[in-house]
Amino acid sequence: MVYSSKYDMILMYGGVGPAEYTLADLSSTPEVEELSEFWQLGIHDCPSNCSDHGDCYYGFCFCDDGYYGVDCSNTSCPGDYCYYDDDNVQQCSHCSFAGYEHTDADTYASGLEKIPCSDDVTCYSNGICDGFGTCQCAPPFLGEDCAIKDCKDNCSFHGWCSVEFPVSRCMCNPGYYGEICEYQDCLNNCSYPNGVCDPDTGSCACRALMDPYVNTRVFRYWQGEDCSYLTAYAAAPTLRAPPL
């Protein structure tokens, strides 16, 4: 084996290899023989010539910005952060961001800013890069770098989703409210305190007026869809004794 400084190439002749390349028996060691083969390895040769997206040094591709992989053939995705370690091996965090860590108990929060991934911050990732420049997000995350959490339960089909970092929020249709628009307003709030609203159905449960003289006896009921009017009251006729 010799090294040619003129061509930056390692040249080797001979070597040892199996006499037969077909194994007859897996329990035995095949016979070997000296080979009469010529090998060459250019120390600046890299896979696929780094796909014309990087520089080759001693067999390693150093990719241009926007590309990654052993041969620099993959296109980076939004949020990708790559660097080369001490062994000249490229390390990448794909579809990543910093500034917020999502949990199962996420709720809408305003005023938070997304920070680019770097060595100085803790990075998070909610997706993978497809190698063609697009992030494939894990549900329920979305956005070009998968940094945004989608609204829950499609806002109960009673509103629309405002997509915002880090957690989206539901904008409810008129008559609905709640984190995911799961509650329904009652008409005129049931003319409170005349009635109580059931937010699950949006219907009113009207209250009764008690007799001011016998407070255990119902006097009249509030009525109507919004408990806004009273039932008519008719006093019972007074019985008089016949004249003597």
Side-chain angles (χ1 to χ4, degrees), residues 91-111:
Q91 305 292 340
C92 288
S93 176
H94 298 293
C95 305
S96 57
F97 62 95
Y100 186 86
E101 181 181 9
H102 290 98
T103 67
D104 292 338
D106 281 336
T107 57
Y108 172 76
S110 61

PDB file of all heavy atoms in Angstrom, residues 91-111:
ATOM      1  N   GLN A  91     -24.285  16.856  12.838  1.00  0.00           N
ATOM      2  CA  GLN A  91     -25.368  16.635  13.789  1.00  0.00           C
ATOM      3  C   GLN A  91     -26.466  17.653  13.498  1.00  0.00           C
ATOM      4  O   GLN A  91     -26.193  18.845  13.374  1.00  0.00           O
ATOM      5  CB  GLN A  91     -24.876  16.793  15.232  1.00  0.00           C
ATOM      6  CG  GLN A  91     -23.691  15.916  15.592  1.00  0.00           C
ATOM      7  CD  GLN A  91     -24.049  14.438  15.631  1.00  0.00           C
ATOM      8  OE1 GLN A  91     -25.225  14.074  15.748  1.00  0.00           O
ATOM      9  NE2 GLN A  91     -23.044  13.579  15.544  1.00  0.00           N
ATOM     10  N   CYS A  92     -27.703  17.185  13.383  1.00  0.00           N
ATOM     11  CA  CYS A  92     -28.801  18.079  13.004  1.00  0.00           C
ATOM     12  C   CYS A  92     -29.993  17.914  13.943  1.00  0.00           C
ATOM     13  O   CYS A  92     -30.302  16.808  14.394  1.00  0.00           O
ATOM     14  CB  CYS A  92     -29.263  17.803  11.574  1.00  0.00           C
ATOM     15  SG  CYS A  92     -28.117  18.353  10.294  1.00  0.00           S
ATOM     16  N   SER A  93     -30.645  19.031  14.219  1.00  0.00           N
ATOM     17  CA  SER A  93     -31.945  19.048  14.882  1.00  0.00           C
ATOM     18  C   SER A  93     -32.935  19.603  13.868  1.00  0.00           C
ATOM     19  O   SER A  93     -32.786  20.738  13.407  1.00  0.00           O
ATOM     20  CB  SER A  93     -31.895  19.922  16.142  1.00  0.00           C
ATOM     21  OG  SER A  93     -33.168  20.011  16.748  1.00  0.00           O
ATOM     22  N   HIS A  94     -33.920  18.795  13.495  1.00  0.00           N
ATOM     23  CA  HIS A  94     -34.818  19.164  12.402  1.00  0.00           C
ATOM     24  C   HIS A  94     -36.134  19.739  12.924  1.00  0.00           C
ATOM     25  O   HIS A  94     -36.653  19.312  13.955  1.00  0.00           O
ATOM     26  CB  HIS A  94     -35.104  17.947  11.522  1.00  0.00           C
ATOM     27  CG  HIS A  94     -33.885  17.378  10.869  1.00  0.00           C
ATOM     28  ND1 HIS A  94     -33.176  18.050   9.899  1.00  0.00           N
ATOM     29  CD2 HIS A  94     -33.229  16.203  11.057  1.00  0.00           C
ATOM     30  CE1 HIS A  94     -32.152  17.319   9.506  1.00  0.00           C
ATOM     31  NE2 HIS A  94     -32.156  16.192  10.196  1.00  0.00           N
ATOM     32  N   CYS A  95     -36.677  20.705  12.164  1.00  0.00           N
ATOM     33  CA  CYS A  95     -37.978  21.307  12.487  1.00  0.00           C
ATOM     34  C   CYS A  95     -38.011  21.724  13.956  1.00  0.00           C
ATOM     35  O   CYS A  95     -38.963  21.423  14.686  1.00  0.00           O
ATOM     36  CB  CYS A  95     -39.113  20.333  12.180  1.00  0.00           C
ATOM     37  SG  CYS A  95     -39.106  19.722  10.471  1.00  0.00           S
ATOM     38  N   SER A  96     -36.979  22.399  14.392  1.00  0.00           N
ATOM     39  CA  SER A  96     -36.811  22.715  15.808  1.00  0.00           C
ATOM     40  C   SER A  96     -37.006  24.206  16.078  1.00  0.00           C
ATOM     41  O   SER A  96     -36.976  25.035  15.170  1.00  0.00           O
ATOM     42  CB  SER A  96     -35.425  22.271  16.284  1.00  0.00           C
ATOM     43  OG  SER A  96     -34.413  22.877  15.503  1.00  0.00           O
ATOM     44  N   PHE A  97     -37.199  24.517  17.356  1.00  0.00           N
ATOM     45  CA  PHE A  97     -37.408  25.893  17.796  1.00  0.00           C
ATOM     46  C   PHE A  97     -37.084  25.963  19.280  1.00  0.00           C
ATOM     47  O   PHE A  97     -36.886  24.945  19.948  1.00  0.00           O
ATOM     48  CB  PHE A  97     -38.863  26.326  17.552  1.00  0.00           C
ATOM     49  CG  PHE A  97     -39.861  25.506  18.323  1.00  0.00           C
ATOM     50  CD1 PHE A  97     -40.340  25.932  19.551  1.00  0.00           C
ATOM     51  CD2 PHE A  97     -40.297  24.286  17.831  1.00  0.00           C
ATOM     52  CE1 PHE A  97     -41.236  25.161  20.268  1.00  0.00           C
ATOM     53  CE2 PHE A  97     -41.198  23.504  18.544  1.00  0.00           C
ATOM     54  CZ  PHE A  97     -41.664  23.945  19.764  1.00  0.00           C
ATOM     55  N   ALA A  98     -37.048  27.166  19.813  1.00  0.00           N
ATOM     56  CA  ALA A  98     -36.814  27.375  21.243  1.00  0.00           C
ATOM     57  C   ALA A  98     -37.731  28.493  21.717  1.00  0.00           C
ATOM     58  O   ALA A  98     -38.330  29.209  20.924  1.00  0.00           O
ATOM     59  CB  ALA A  98     -35.349  27.720  21.505  1.00  0.00           C
ATOM     60  N   GLY A  99     -37.839  28.619  23.040  1.00  0.00           N
ATOM     61  CA  GLY A  99     -38.672  29.672  23.607  1.00  0.00           C
ATOM     62  C   GLY A  99     -39.920  29.179  24.298  1.00  0.00           C
ATOM     63  O   GLY A  99     -40.559  29.922  25.044  1.00  0.00           O
ATOM     64  N   TYR A 100     -40.294  27.908  24.074  1.00  0.00           N
ATOM     65  CA  TYR A 100     -41.491  27.361  24.724  1.00  0.00           C
ATOM     66  C   TYR A 100     -41.449  25.843  24.626  1.00  0.00           C
ATOM     67  O   TYR A 100     -41.097  25.292  23.579  1.00  0.00           O
ATOM     68  CB  TYR A 100     -42.763  27.880  24.054  1.00  0.00           C
ATOM     69  CG  TYR A 100     -44.037  27.467  24.766  1.00  0.00           C
ATOM     70  CD1 TYR A 100     -44.532  28.219  25.820  1.00  0.00           C
ATOM     71  CD2 TYR A 100     -44.724  26.320  24.384  1.00  0.00           C
ATOM     72  CE1 TYR A 100     -45.692  27.843  26.477  1.00  0.00           C
ATOM     73  CE2 TYR A 100     -45.886  25.938  25.035  1.00  0.00           C
ATOM     74  CZ  TYR A 100     -46.363  26.703  26.079  1.00  0.00           C
ATOM     75  OH  TYR A 100     -47.511  26.320  26.726  1.00  0.00           O
ATOM     76  N   GLU A 101     -41.815  25.174  25.724  1.00  0.00           N
ATOM     77  CA  GLU A 101     -41.907  23.715  25.736  1.00  0.00           C
ATOM     78  C   GLU A 101     -43.370  23.319  25.870  1.00  0.00           C
ATOM     79  O   GLU A 101     -44.028  23.652  26.858  1.00  0.00           O
ATOM     80  CB  GLU A 101     -41.095  23.118  26.886  1.00  0.00           C
ATOM     81  CG  GLU A 101     -41.141  21.599  26.926  1.00  0.00           C
ATOM     82  CD  GLU A 101     -40.349  21.010  28.077  1.00  0.00           C
ATOM     83  OE1 GLU A 101     -39.892  21.786  28.947  1.00  0.00           O
ATOM     84  OE2 GLU A 101     -40.181  19.773  28.117  1.00  0.00           O
ATOM     85  N   HIS A 102     -43.898  22.630  24.873  1.00  0.00           N
ATOM     86  CA  HIS A 102     -45.296  22.219  24.899  1.00  0.00           C
ATOM     87  C   HIS A 102     -45.510  21.075  25.895  1.00  0.00           C
ATOM     88  O   HIS A 102     -44.644  20.219  26.073  1.00  0.00           O
ATOM     89  CB  HIS A 102     -45.745  21.769  23.510  1.00  0.00           C
ATOM     90  CG  HIS A 102     -45.846  22.884  22.522  1.00  0.00           C
ATOM     91  ND1 HIS A 102     -44.847  23.176  21.622  1.00  0.00           N
ATOM     92  CD2 HIS A 102     -46.832  23.793  22.295  1.00  0.00           C
ATOM     93  CE1 HIS A 102     -45.210  24.203  20.876  1.00  0.00           C
ATOM     94  NE2 HIS A 102     -46.406  24.593  21.260  1.00  0.00           N
ATOM     95  N   THR A 103     -46.684  21.077  26.534  1.00  0.00           N
ATOM     96  CA  THR A 103     -47.095  20.007  27.442  1.00  0.00           C
ATOM     97  C   THR A 103     -48.547  19.642  27.139  1.00  0.00           C
ATOM     98  O   THR A 103     -49.222  20.316  26.352  1.00  0.00           O
ATOM     99  CB  THR A 103     -46.972  20.436  28.917  1.00  0.00           C
ATOM    100  OG1 THR A 103     -47.935  21.479  29.191  1.00  0.00           O
ATOM    101  CG2 THR A 103     -45.565  20.949  29.226  1.00  0.00           C
ATOM    102  N   ASP A 104     -49.042  18.599  27.798  1.00  0.00           N
ATOM    103  CA  ASP A 104     -50.436  18.196  27.602  1.00  0.00           C
ATOM    104  C   ASP A 104     -51.402  19.218  28.189  1.00  0.00           C
ATOM    105  O   ASP A 104     -52.585  19.229  27.827  1.00  0.00           O
ATOM    106  CB  ASP A 104     -50.687  16.830  28.244  1.00  0.00           C
ATOM    107  CG  ASP A 104     -49.958  15.710  27.519  1.00  0.00           C
ATOM    108  OD1 ASP A 104     -49.622  15.901  26.334  1.00  0.00           O
ATOM    109  OD2 ASP A 104     -49.712  14.657  28.137  1.00  0.00           O
ATOM    110  N   ALA A 105     -50.917  20.066  29.103  1.00  0.00           N
ATOM    111  CA  ALA A 105     -51.787  21.042  29.770  1.00  0.00           C
ATOM    112  C   ALA A 105     -51.681  22.426  29.140  1.00  0.00           C
ATOM    113  O   ALA A 105     -51.992  23.432  29.777  1.00  0.00           O
ATOM    114  CB  ALA A 105     -51.439  21.113  31.256  1.00  0.00           C
ATOM    115  N   ASP A 106     -51.250  22.510  27.894  1.00  0.00           N
ATOM    116  CA  ASP A 106     -51.082  23.807  27.233  1.00  0.00           C
ATOM    117  C   ASP A 106     -52.384  24.594  27.174  1.00  0.00           C
ATOM    118  O   ASP A 106     -53.453  24.038  26.906  1.00  0.00           O
ATOM    119  CB  ASP A 106     -50.580  23.606  25.799  1.00  0.00           C
ATOM    120  CG  ASP A 106     -49.091  23.324  25.745  1.00  0.00           C
ATOM    121  OD1 ASP A 106     -48.393  23.713  26.690  1.00  0.00           O
ATOM    122  OD2 ASP A 106     -48.639  22.717  24.764  1.00  0.00           O
ATOM    123  N   THR A 107     -52.289  25.897  27.420  1.00  0.00           N
ATOM    124  CA  THR A 107     -53.392  26.827  27.200  1.00  0.00           C
ATOM    125  C   THR A 107     -52.845  28.040  26.454  1.00  0.00           C
ATOM    126  O   THR A 107     -51.634  28.251  26.396  1.00  0.00           O
ATOM    127  CB  THR A 107     -54.035  27.275  28.526  1.00  0.00           C
ATOM    128  OG1 THR A 107     -53.021  27.865  29.373  1.00  0.00           O
ATOM    129  CG2 THR A 107     -54.673  26.102  29.247  1.00  0.00           C
ATOM    130  N   TYR A 108     -53.748  28.826  25.912  1.00  0.00           N
ATOM    131  CA  TYR A 108     -53.324  29.993  25.136  1.00  0.00           C
ATOM    132  C   TYR A 108     -52.534  30.958  26.012  1.00  0.00           C
ATOM    133  O   TYR A 108     -52.895  31.235  27.153  1.00  0.00           O
ATOM    134  CB  TYR A 108     -54.541  30.698  24.547  1.00  0.00           C
ATOM    135  CG  TYR A 108     -54.204  32.015  23.891  1.00  0.00           C
ATOM    136  CD1 TYR A 108     -53.588  32.050  22.648  1.00  0.00           C
ATOM    137  CD2 TYR A 108     -54.480  33.219  24.532  1.00  0.00           C
ATOM    138  CE1 TYR A 108     -53.261  33.253  22.046  1.00  0.00           C
ATOM    139  CE2 TYR A 108     -54.162  34.426  23.934  1.00  0.00           C
ATOM    140  CZ  TYR A 108     -53.551  34.438  22.693  1.00  0.00           C
ATOM    141  OH  TYR A 108     -53.225  35.632  22.109  1.00  0.00           O
ATOM    142  N   ALA A 109     -51.431  31.460  25.483  1.00  0.00           N
ATOM    143  CA  ALA A 109     -50.601  32.438  26.184  1.00  0.00           C
ATOM    144  C   ALA A 109     -50.138  33.474  25.169  1.00  0.00           C
ATOM    145  O   ALA A 109     -49.704  33.131  24.066  1.00  0.00           O
ATOM    146  CB  ALA A 109     -49.401  31.760  26.841  1.00  0.00           C
ATOM    147  N   SER A 110     -50.231  34.743  25.529  1.00  0.00           N
ATOM    148  CA  SER A 110     -49.857  35.816  24.609  1.00  0.00           C
ATOM    149  C   SER A 110     -48.486  36.375  24.972  1.00  0.00           C
ATOM    150  O   SER A 110     -47.990  36.199  26.087  1.00  0.00           O
ATOM    151  CB  SER A 110     -50.906  36.935  24.656  1.00  0.00           C
ATOM    152  OG  SER A 110     -50.988  37.491  25.958  1.00  0.00           O
ATOM    153  N   GLY A 111     -47.874  37.047  24.016  1.00  0.00           N
ATOM    154  CA  GLY A 111     -46.621  37.747  24.266  1.00  0.00           C
ATOM    155  C   GLY A 111     -45.378  36.884  24.235  1.00  0.00           C
ATOM    156  O   GLY A 111     -44.295  37.358  24.603  1.00  0.00           O
TER     157      GLY A 111
END
